[in-house]
Amino acid sequence: MSLKAKLVSTISAFCLVLALLVVGVFAASNATVNLSGSLSFTADDVMASISVTSTGAETDLSNKTGTLDQNSANVTMDNLDLVFATSNTPIVITVTITNDSDNRAFTVQTDDIAVVVADKNVTLTSFKYNNNSAGDQDVVASKAVTVAANTSVIYTITLNLTNPDANVAEGAAWSVDFALANVAA
């Protein structure tokens, strides 16, 4: 075989291997699994507005709002599905509850956030609230937070990947139940 034929066959074989490698890389799927979520609010004789946003997700939550008044005792926000934008960026969910009353306070109580994380590769790194009194504070299960008339309380939930090199496992979910109650005059 001549030198020219050997060179052409070597270059052809190299191009074939390179083409197969490129096709293999593009064919490898990087599956992303939603971190499904929900929020529920139950109210007892309160007037409140609710706003939910997030940062750090591929598509952040925005324009998620609700209103509670004497005629509506419950608001539920389901299908708050999130996907981590990058493996080392946390998802931060912000829930703002505003007291729309001019003269009455109410309390907000929640237990710890329910996060299904066992073997799901998601870690709850922070669950805090801020009602403009003492800065960010950790949420304590069954401890009521008082929201004065025409003020707000802001809850922040921070979720991280446990292992940044792995995807979120199917079935990972988060949910929080808030109970709002009128403070007797």
Side-chain angles (χ1 to χ4, degrees), residues 16-89:
L16 178 63
V17 169
L18 184 61
L20 290 174
L21 179 66
V22 168
V23 169
V25 167
F26 284 121
S29 63
N30 186 8
T32 56
V33 178
N34 282 346
L35 175 62
S36 62
S38 68
L39 295 169
S40 67
F41 304 86
T42 57
D44 182 15
D45 195 26
V46 300
M47 294 177 16
S49 303
I50 303 158
S51 171
V52 180
T53 60
S54 71
T55 59
E58 283 184 3
T59 304
D60 283 314
L61 301 174
S62 62
N63 298 323
K64 300 288 183 188
T65 59
T67 302
L68 294 164
D69 58 33
Q70 286 86 358
N71 299 321
S72 64
N74 299 308
V75 169
T76 301
M77 297 178 182
D78 289 325
N79 303 319
L80 302 177
D81 298 341
L82 299 167
V83 175
F84 285 90
T86 64
S87 61
N88 54 4
T89 301

Side-chain angles (χ1 to χ4, degrees), residues 13-183:
F14 176 74
C15 289
L16 178 63
V17 169
L18 184 61
L20 290 174
L21 179 66
V22 168
V23 169
V25 167
F26 284 121
S29 63
N30 186 8
T32 56
V33 178
N34 282 346
L35 175 62
S36 62
S38 68
L39 295 169
S40 67
F41 304 86
T42 57
D44 182 15
D45 195 26
V46 300
M47 294 177 16
S49 303
I50 303 158
S51 171
V52 180
T53 60
S54 71
T55 59
E58 283 184 3
T59 304
D60 283 314
L61 301 174
S62 62
N63 298 323
K64 300 288 183 188
T65 59
T67 302
L68 294 164
D69 58 33
Q70 286 86 358
N71 299 321
S72 64
N74 299 308
V75 169
T76 301
M77 297 178 182
D78 289 325
N79 303 319
L80 302 177
D81 298 341
L82 299 167
V83 175
F84 285 90
T86 64
S87 61
N88 54 4
T89 301
I91 292 177
V92 179
I93 303 157
T94 305
V95 179
T96 305
I97 303 171
T98 303
N99 186 344
D100 293 333
S101 174
D102 291 330
N103 54 11
R104 296 187 307 175
F106 64 73
T107 61
V108 179
Q109 184 173 328
T110 184
D111 290 330
D112 289 332
I113 183 173
V115 180
V116 179
V117 295
D119 302 322
K120 304 295 183 191
N121 197 33
V122 178
T123 303
L124 171 68
T125 53
S126 163
F127 187 24
K128 297 189 177 287
Y129 73 92
N130 184 329
N131 67 343
N132 301 320
S133 61
D136 289 346
Q137 299 177 31
D138 290 329
V139 171
V140 177
S142 302
K143 178 186 175 193
V145 176
T146 301
V147 183
N150 294 313
T151 63
S152 299
V153 61
I154 300 170
Y155 287 87
T156 54
I157 303 158
T158 306
L159 304 168
N160 280 300
L161 288 173
T162 306
N163 178 359
D165 296 327
N167 287 328
V168 174
E170 190 170 336
W174 62 274
S175 66
V176 182
D177 298 324
F178 294 94
L180 289 71
N182 182 30
V183 174

